[in-house]
Amino acid sequence: MPIANAKDMLLKATEEKYAVGAFNVTNLIQLKAVVEAAIAKSAPLIIQASVAPSKFLGPKVIAAIYKTIAESAPIPICLHLDHCNDVEFCKTCADAGYTNIMIDASKQDFAENIRQTKEICDYCHEIGTISVEGELGTVSGIEDQVKVAEDEAQLCDPEQALEFVDQTEVDIFAPAIGTAHGVYKTKDPKLDFDRLKKIANLINGSQPRVPLVIHGGTGLQPDVVKRLISLGGSKFNVSTDLKHTLIDTTYDYISSHRNEYNPGKIDAVVKEAIKGRIEYWIELLGCAGKA
Ligand code: 13P
């Protein structure tokens, strides 16, 4: 398929009330698992690379692998830079061929967040059809180099959300509503559903124009995930689940095959385990068959 634009993909999801899975990967095995699962389920897909894996492999290498896979895949696939708080690196990844850039200036004050987000929007819209995600309020926990303590996290103000979206012309918007990166301490984390509803009404009430992102997917119960989608979340980020699957599966395999030295066998087992998790998420998000 031609290279996909995340905004168009997510506007369709917003209208039809499902969410597209945005899965963080750190290596080629995970990437292959995510793509194979999405193809098996005929689901649109957003592959996410945070700053550390993007720097480790190199943006041009990641973008080249992505392009080769995406162009021959029977489903639309985007490549997203996740939570980048470095304006210059956002531009480097946009130049390299990422199709979606998240500038995370959410730790800055409101005016500076708007300034940096607008700078990346102007840059990305100028060089092509690259969509930009911005965040307002802060999501607690750790995602790559972005760390926010629980007592520091701030929820997104709905009126400011509208101002942020209008002033920056951001394509996709991540409001902090109480979800967190990493593993939740309780089965029933306190999320502000009313806040999400208000933000969705203010921004997309008359017609969907800026799709909303739910960060911190790992550990949310299925009924909670469905409620967040029904209230307007159309991009659903999942990272920790896949990291745990990768490490736990590798550990278990090596523990029970201590004298085997065949990396290909470990890769195959890890790939299948991650595929299983992605297929679970795709069904839950309601995006199976939506490619
Ligand atoms: P989890 O690690 O909690 O799944 O969150 C992922 C995320 O929001 C990436 O941006």
Tab-separated table of all heavy atoms in Angstrom, residues 44-94:
chain	number	residue	atom	x	y	z
A	44	PRO	N	-5.464	-1.656	10.294
A	44	PRO	CA	-4.498	-0.576	10.090
A	44	PRO	C	-3.516	-0.582	11.252
A	44	PRO	O	-3.849	-1.068	12.338
A	44	PRO	CB	-5.359	0.691	10.102
A	44	PRO	CG	-6.625	0.302	10.792
A	44	PRO	CD	-6.811	-1.172	10.609
A	45	LEU	N	-2.320	-0.031	11.043
A	45	LEU	CA	-1.276	-0.189	12.061
A	45	LEU	C	-0.406	1.062	12.185
A	45	LEU	O	-0.050	1.670	11.172
A	45	LEU	CB	-0.393	-1.386	11.661
A	45	LEU	CG	0.878	-1.634	12.472
A	45	LEU	CD1	0.551	-2.031	13.911
A	45	LEU	CD2	1.724	-2.742	11.810
A	46	ILE	N	-0.079	1.390	13.428
A	46	ILE	CA	0.930	2.434	13.665
A	46	ILE	C	2.089	1.788	14.420
A	46	ILE	O	1.908	1.264	15.523
A	46	ILE	CB	0.346	3.612	14.476
A	46	ILE	CG1	-0.800	4.258	13.689
A	46	ILE	CG2	1.441	4.641	14.793
A	46	ILE	CD1	-1.549	5.351	14.423
A	47	ILE	N	3.259	1.781	13.771
A	47	ILE	CA	4.466	1.280	14.431
A	47	ILE	C	5.108	2.476	15.135
A	47	ILE	O	5.280	3.538	14.525
A	47	ILE	CB	5.468	0.727	13.393
A	47	ILE	CG1	4.875	-0.473	12.649
A	47	ILE	CG2	6.782	0.353	14.061
A	47	ILE	CD1	5.671	-0.840	11.402
A	48	GLN	N	5.461	2.315	16.407
A	48	GLN	CA	6.068	3.429	17.139
A	48	GLN	C	7.501	3.082	17.522
A	48	GLN	O	7.780	1.977	17.981
A	48	GLN	CB	5.278	3.733	18.414
A	48	GLN	CG	3.803	3.950	18.161
A	48	GLN	CD	3.129	4.841	19.175
A	48	GLN	OE1	2.572	5.859	18.794
A	48	GLN	NE2	3.156	4.486	20.431
A	49	ALA	N	8.390	4.059	17.353
A	49	ALA	CA	9.753	3.929	17.872
A	49	ALA	C	9.981	5.140	18.767
A	49	ALA	O	9.730	6.280	18.358
A	49	ALA	CB	10.755	3.909	16.729
A	50	SER	N	10.401	4.885	19.987
A	50	SER	CA	10.744	5.989	20.884
A	50	SER	C	12.106	6.540	20.468
A	50	SER	O	12.716	6.063	19.504
A	50	SER	CB	10.784	5.504	22.333
A	50	SER	OG	9.502	5.103	22.728
A	51	VAL	N	12.576	7.507	21.246
A	51	VAL	CA	13.834	8.179	20.869
A	51	VAL	C	15.029	7.218	20.987
A	51	VAL	O	15.855	7.147	20.067
A	51	VAL	CB	14.042	9.438	21.738
A	51	VAL	CG1	15.412	10.049	21.476
A	51	VAL	CG2	12.942	10.449	21.442
A	52	ALA	N	15.120	6.456	22.096
A	52	ALA	CA	16.302	5.596	22.286
A	52	ALA	C	16.456	4.551	21.171
A	52	ALA	O	17.525	4.473	20.558
A	52	ALA	CB	16.277	4.949	23.668
A	53	PRO	N	15.415	3.763	20.861
A	53	PRO	CA	15.591	2.818	19.744
A	53	PRO	C	15.815	3.514	18.410
A	53	PRO	O	16.537	3.001	17.555
A	53	PRO	CB	14.296	1.999	19.730
A	53	PRO	CG	13.382	2.611	20.704
A	53	PRO	CD	14.149	3.538	21.579
A	54	SER	N	15.225	4.689	18.241
A	54	SER	CA	15.442	5.424	16.984
A	54	SER	C	16.903	5.818	16.864
A	54	SER	O	17.498	5.727	15.786
A	54	SER	CB	14.559	6.682	16.927
A	54	SER	OG	13.202	6.314	16.821
A	55	LYS	N	17.506	6.245	17.996
A	55	LYS	CA	18.920	6.638	17.955
A	55	LYS	C	19.818	5.402	17.846
A	55	LYS	O	20.838	5.423	17.170
A	55	LYS	CB	19.290	7.447	19.199
A	55	LYS	CG	18.731	8.860	19.140
A	55	LYS	CD	19.254	9.740	20.253
A	55	LYS	CE	18.789	11.187	20.021
A	55	LYS	NZ	18.917	12.023	21.199
A	56	PHE	N	19.426	4.318	18.510
A	56	PHE	CA	20.253	3.101	18.526
A	56	PHE	C	20.389	2.508	17.118
A	56	PHE	O	21.486	2.202	16.664
A	56	PHE	CB	19.628	2.082	19.482
A	56	PHE	CG	20.451	0.837	19.660
A	56	PHE	CD1	21.559	0.827	20.499
A	56	PHE	CD2	20.125	-0.334	18.983
A	56	PHE	CE1	22.326	-0.318	20.654
A	56	PHE	CE2	20.884	-1.482	19.142
A	56	PHE	CZ	21.989	-1.477	19.977
A	57	LEU	N	19.236	2.364	16.444
A	57	LEU	CA	19.281	1.779	15.094
A	57	LEU	C	19.581	2.835	14.029
A	57	LEU	O	20.106	2.528	12.965
A	57	LEU	CB	17.944	1.100	14.764
A	57	LEU	CG	17.639	-0.166	15.563
A	57	LEU	CD1	16.205	-0.613	15.342
A	57	LEU	CD2	18.588	-1.296	15.168
A	58	GLY	N	19.208	4.078	14.325
A	58	GLY	CA	19.376	5.172	13.360
A	58	GLY	C	18.069	5.421	12.630
A	58	GLY	O	17.486	4.472	12.082
A	59	PRO	N	17.598	6.685	12.613
A	59	PRO	CA	16.309	6.990	11.970
A	59	PRO	C	16.249	6.548	10.519
A	59	PRO	O	15.214	6.049	10.060
A	59	PRO	CB	16.211	8.520	12.073
A	59	PRO	CG	17.118	8.904	13.180
A	59	PRO	CD	18.204	7.881	13.243
A	60	LYS	N	17.347	6.683	9.780
A	60	LYS	CA	17.307	6.320	8.355
A	60	LYS	C	17.154	4.805	8.187
A	60	LYS	O	16.473	4.342	7.268
A	60	LYS	CB	18.586	6.776	7.646
A	60	LYS	CG	18.577	8.274	7.375
A	60	LYS	CD	19.747	8.660	6.516
A	60	LYS	CE	19.726	10.163	6.266
A	60	LYS	NZ	20.986	10.680	5.793
A	61	VAL	N	17.791	4.036	9.074
A	61	VAL	CA	17.680	2.568	8.995
A	61	VAL	C	16.243	2.154	9.307
A	61	VAL	O	15.623	1.364	8.577
A	61	VAL	CB	18.669	1.896	9.980
A	61	VAL	CG1	18.444	0.395	10.041
A	61	VAL	CG2	20.107	2.210	9.566
A	62	ILE	N	15.698	2.717	10.387
A	62	ILE	CA	14.312	2.355	10.767
A	62	ILE	C	13.351	2.744	9.650
A	62	ILE	O	12.469	1.964	9.263
A	62	ILE	CB	13.905	3.049	12.089
A	62	ILE	CG1	14.768	2.522	13.224
A	62	ILE	CG2	12.421	2.850	12.381
A	62	ILE	CD1	14.382	2.987	14.591
A	63	ALA	N	13.519	3.950	9.125
A	63	ALA	CA	12.597	4.420	8.077
A	63	ALA	C	12.715	3.559	6.817
A	63	ALA	O	11.703	3.276	6.158
A	63	ALA	CB	12.869	5.887	7.755
A	64	ALA	N	13.933	3.115	6.489
A	64	ALA	CA	14.114	2.298	5.282
A	64	ALA	C	13.446	0.926	5.459
A	64	ALA	O	12.779	0.418	4.547
A	64	ALA	CB	15.601	2.126	4.977
A	65	ILE	N	13.608	0.347	6.647
A	65	ILE	CA	12.964	-0.957	6.913
A	65	ILE	C	11.450	-0.793	6.851
A	65	ILE	O	10.725	-1.571	6.227
A	65	ILE	CB	13.394	-1.507	8.297
A	65	ILE	CG1	14.884	-1.831	8.297
A	65	ILE	CG2	12.576	-2.743	8.673
A	65	ILE	CD1	15.452	-2.144	9.665
A	66	TYR	N	10.972	0.268	7.522
A	66	TYR	CA	9.527	0.545	7.533
A	66	TYR	C	8.986	0.686	6.105
A	66	TYR	O	7.978	0.088	5.747
A	66	TYR	CB	9.260	1.826	8.339
A	66	TYR	CG	7.996	2.522	7.918
A	66	TYR	CD1	6.748	1.993	8.232
A	66	TYR	CD2	8.045	3.693	7.156
A	66	TYR	CE1	5.584	2.610	7.802
A	66	TYR	CE2	6.894	4.309	6.717
A	66	TYR	CZ	5.667	3.770	7.049
A	66	TYR	OH	4.516	4.363	6.609
A	67	LYS	N	9.685	1.489	5.287
A	67	LYS	CA	9.207	1.779	3.930
A	67	LYS	C	9.124	0.490	3.102
A	67	LYS	O	8.133	0.238	2.425
A	67	LYS	CB	10.168	2.773	3.274
A	67	LYS	CG	9.632	3.430	2.035
A	67	LYS	CD	10.471	4.672	1.697
A	67	LYS	CE	9.983	5.327	0.417
A	67	LYS	NZ	10.554	4.776	-0.794
A	68	THR	N	10.151	-0.344	3.240
A	68	THR	CA	10.171	-1.602	2.486
A	68	THR	C	8.985	-2.476	2.889
A	68	THR	O	8.306	-3.063	2.041
A	68	THR	CB	11.488	-2.365	2.779
A	68	THR	OG1	12.574	-1.469	2.555
A	68	THR	CG2	11.642	-3.583	1.908
A	69	ILE	N	8.735	-2.542	4.198
A	69	ILE	CA	7.624	-3.379	4.680
A	69	ILE	C	6.277	-2.763	4.293
A	69	ILE	O	5.385	-3.450	3.782
A	69	ILE	CB	7.707	-3.548	6.214
A	69	ILE	CG1	8.917	-4.411	6.570
A	69	ILE	CG2	6.424	-4.139	6.780
A	69	ILE	CD1	9.183	-4.529	8.049
A	70	ALA	N	6.132	-1.452	4.529
A	70	ALA	CA	4.822	-0.804	4.365
A	70	ALA	C	4.370	-0.798	2.910
A	70	ALA	O	3.185	-1.007	2.617
A	70	ALA	CB	4.871	0.618	4.911
A	71	GLU	N	5.317	-0.565	2.001
A	71	GLU	CA	4.921	-0.447	0.593
A	71	GLU	C	4.384	-1.756	0.025
A	71	GLU	O	3.561	-1.745	-0.876
A	71	GLU	CB	6.095	0.057	-0.245
A	71	GLU	CG	6.253	1.564	-0.087
A	71	GLU	CD	7.444	2.149	-0.834
A	71	GLU	OE1	8.322	1.383	-1.286
A	71	GLU	OE2	7.497	3.380	-0.935
A	72	SER	N	4.857	-2.888	0.574
A	72	SER	CA	4.365	-4.154	0.017
A	72	SER	C	3.285	-4.788	0.896
A	72	SER	O	2.802	-5.880	0.585
A	72	SER	CB	5.542	-5.127	-0.169
A	72	SER	OG	6.132	-5.364	1.083
A	73	ALA	N	2.903	-4.130	1.975
A	73	ALA	CA	1.892	-4.718	2.879
A	73	ALA	C	0.478	-4.460	2.358
A	73	ALA	O	0.219	-3.408	1.772
A	73	ALA	CB	2.042	-4.126	4.277
A	74	PRO	N	-0.456	-5.380	2.611
A	74	PRO	CA	-1.832	-5.178	2.149
A	74	PRO	C	-2.668	-4.325	3.109
A	74	PRO	O	-3.892	-4.276	2.992
A	74	PRO	CB	-2.367	-6.621	2.092
A	74	PRO	CG	-1.584	-7.349	3.136
A	74	PRO	CD	-0.235	-6.713	3.206
A	75	ILE	N	-2.020	-3.705	4.084
A	75	ILE	CA	-2.723	-2.862	5.070
A	75	ILE	C	-1.988	-1.512	5.157
A	75	ILE	O	-0.805	-1.445	4.846
A	75	ILE	CB	-2.708	-3.514	6.483
A	75	ILE	CG1	-1.248	-3.830	6.905
A	75	ILE	CG2	-3.571	-4.762	6.531
A	75	ILE	CD1	-1.087	-4.210	8.359
A	76	PRO	N	-2.687	-0.442	5.593
A	76	PRO	CA	-1.971	0.831	5.773
A	76	PRO	C	-1.134	0.795	7.059
A	76	PRO	O	-1.628	0.376	8.110
A	76	PRO	CB	-3.090	1.867	5.875
A	76	PRO	CG	-4.300	1.111	6.276
A	76	PRO	CD	-4.131	-0.316	5.849
A	77	ILE	N	0.116	1.225	6.944
A	77	ILE	CA	1.019	1.221	8.111
A	77	ILE	C	1.708	2.587	8.212
A	77	ILE	O	2.207	3.099	7.205
A	77	ILE	CB	2.110	0.126	7.988
A	77	ILE	CG1	1.493	-1.245	7.696
A	77	ILE	CG2	2.955	0.064	9.255
A	77	ILE	CD1	2.515	-2.374	7.535
A	78	CYS	N	1.743	3.153	9.426
A	78	CYS	CA	2.467	4.418	9.671
A	78	CYS	C	3.688	4.136	10.534
A	78	CYS	O	3.721	3.147	11.269
A	78	CYS	CB	1.599	5.394	10.469
A	78	CYS	SG	0.092	5.837	9.650
A	79	LEU	N	4.645	5.043	10.481
A	79	LEU	CA	5.808	4.980	11.384
A	79	LEU	C	5.846	6.258	12.214
A	79	LEU	O	5.951	7.360	11.675
A	79	LEU	CB	7.108	4.856	10.575
A	79	LEU	CG	8.395	4.884	11.407
A	79	LEU	CD1	8.457	3.700	12.376
A	79	LEU	CD2	9.630	4.889	10.503
A	80	HIS	N	5.758	6.080	13.535
A	80	HIS	CA	5.584	7.202	14.462
A	80	HIS	C	6.796	7.326	15.384
A	80	HIS	O	7.246	6.332	15.965
A	80	HIS	CB	4.307	6.904	15.267
A	80	HIS	CG	4.077	7.741	16.477
A	80	HIS	ND1	3.256	8.856	16.468
A	80	HIS	CD2	4.531	7.631	17.744
A	80	HIS	CE1	3.219	9.389	17.680
A	80	HIS	NE2	3.984	8.671	18.484
A	81	LEU	N	7.317	8.528	15.517
A	81	LEU	CA	8.346	8.810	16.536
A	81	LEU	C	7.614	9.145	17.822
A	81	LEU	O	6.826	10.092	17.862
A	81	LEU	CB	9.227	9.987	16.105
A	81	LEU	CG	10.226	10.469	17.162
A	81	LEU	CD1	11.313	9.417	17.421
A	81	LEU	CD2	10.870	11.791	16.744
A	82	ASP	N	7.889	8.392	18.893
A	82	ASP	CA	7.098	8.556	20.114
A	82	ASP	C	7.828	9.429	21.142
A	82	ASP	O	9.034	9.289	21.360
A	82	ASP	CB	6.821	7.162	20.711
A	82	ASP	CG	5.584	7.152	21.587
A	82	ASP	OD1	4.677	7.981	21.333
A	82	ASP	OD2	5.505	6.317	22.508
A	83	HIS	N	7.074	10.325	21.775
A	83	HIS	CA	7.548	11.127	22.918
A	83	HIS	C	8.927	11.750	22.732
A	83	HIS	O	9.821	11.555	23.566
A	83	HIS	CB	7.593	10.259	24.186
A	83	HIS	CG	6.243	9.995	24.764
A	83	HIS	ND1	5.501	10.945	25.410
A	83	HIS	CD2	5.486	8.870	24.783
A	83	HIS	CE1	4.350	10.439	25.799
A	83	HIS	NE2	4.308	9.172	25.422
A	84	CYS	N	9.091	12.494	21.690
A	84	CYS	CA	10.397	13.143	21.493
A	84	CYS	C	10.329	14.572	22.035
A	84	CYS	O	9.486	15.364	21.609
A	84	CYS	CB	10.756	13.153	20.015
A	84	CYS	SG	12.379	13.888	19.752
A	85	ASN	N	11.217	14.871	22.981
A	85	ASN	CA	11.212	16.237	23.534
A	85	ASN	C	12.356	17.093	22.967
A	85	ASN	O	12.683	18.139	23.511
A	85	ASN	CB	11.237	16.217	25.072
A	85	ASN	CG	12.383	15.376	25.607
A	85	ASN	OD1	13.296	15.018	24.861
A	85	ASN	ND2	12.344	15.069	26.894
A	86	ASP	N	12.928	16.629	21.872
A	86	ASP	CA	14.040	17.340	21.248
A	86	ASP	C	13.598	17.763	19.832
A	86	ASP	O	13.426	16.921	18.949
A	86	ASP	CB	15.241	16.372	21.202
A	86	ASP	CG	16.416	16.919	20.422
A	86	ASP	OD1	16.263	17.939	19.722
A	86	ASP	OD2	17.490	16.293	20.492
A	87	VAL	N	13.397	19.060	19.690
A	87	VAL	CA	12.864	19.602	18.436
A	87	VAL	C	13.729	19.190	17.240
A	87	VAL	O	13.211	18.795	16.185
A	87	VAL	CB	12.774	21.146	18.557
A	87	VAL	CG1	12.585	21.802	17.205
A	87	VAL	CG2	11.640	21.529	19.493
A	88	GLU	N	15.053	19.246	17.410
A	88	GLU	CA	15.933	18.920	16.279
A	88	GLU	C	15.813	17.442	15.885
A	88	GLU	O	15.833	17.102	14.707
A	88	GLU	CB	17.398	19.269	16.594
A	88	GLU	CG	17.670	20.765	16.610
A	88	GLU	CD	17.043	21.507	15.405
A	88	GLU	OE1	17.250	21.064	14.261
A	88	GLU	OE2	16.324	22.503	15.633
A	89	PHE	N	15.695	16.557	16.889
A	89	PHE	CA	15.582	15.128	16.553
A	89	PHE	C	14.232	14.825	15.879
A	89	PHE	O	14.148	13.947	15.020
A	89	PHE	CB	15.809	14.242	17.785
A	89	PHE	CG	16.040	12.804	17.418
A	89	PHE	CD1	17.161	12.418	16.702
A	89	PHE	CD2	15.119	11.821	17.759
A	89	PHE	CE1	17.364	11.093	16.320
A	89	PHE	CE2	15.312	10.489	17.395
A	89	PHE	CZ	16.451	10.127	16.673
A	90	CYS	N	13.188	15.565	16.275
A	90	CYS	CA	11.891	15.423	15.572
A	90	CYS	C	12.096	15.706	14.084
A	90	CYS	O	11.606	14.965	13.218
A	90	CYS	CB	10.870	16.431	16.107
A	90	CYS	SG	10.169	16.018	17.704
A	91	LYS	N	12.836	16.763	13.794
A	91	LYS	CA	13.050	17.143	12.382
A	91	LYS	C	13.901	16.088	11.668
A	91	LYS	O	13.641	15.749	10.510
A	91	LYS	CB	13.720	18.520	12.309
A	91	LYS	CG	12.804	19.647	12.798
A	91	LYS	CD	13.507	20.995	12.732
A	91	LYS	CE	12.622	22.090	13.295
A	91	LYS	NZ	13.298	23.391	13.404
A	92	THR	N	14.915	15.549	12.376
A	92	THR	CA	15.766	14.514	11.776
A	92	THR	C	14.918	13.307	11.368
A	92	THR	O	15.094	12.747	10.281
A	92	THR	CB	16.838	14.062	12.799
A	92	THR	OG1	17.593	15.205	13.163
A	92	THR	CG2	17.751	12.990	12.261
A	93	CYS	N	14.003	12.901	12.237
A	93	CYS	CA	13.170	11.721	11.938
A	93	CYS	C	12.168	12.025	10.827
A	93	CYS	O	11.885	11.155	9.989
A	93	CYS	CB	12.467	11.234	13.198
A	93	CYS	SG	13.635	10.522	14.376
A	94	ALA	N	11.639	13.245	10.820
A	94	ALA	CA	10.730	13.633	9.728
A	94	ALA	C	11.488	13.577	8.404
A	94	ALA	O	10.997	13.031	7.408
A	94	ALA	CB	10.169	15.030	9.981
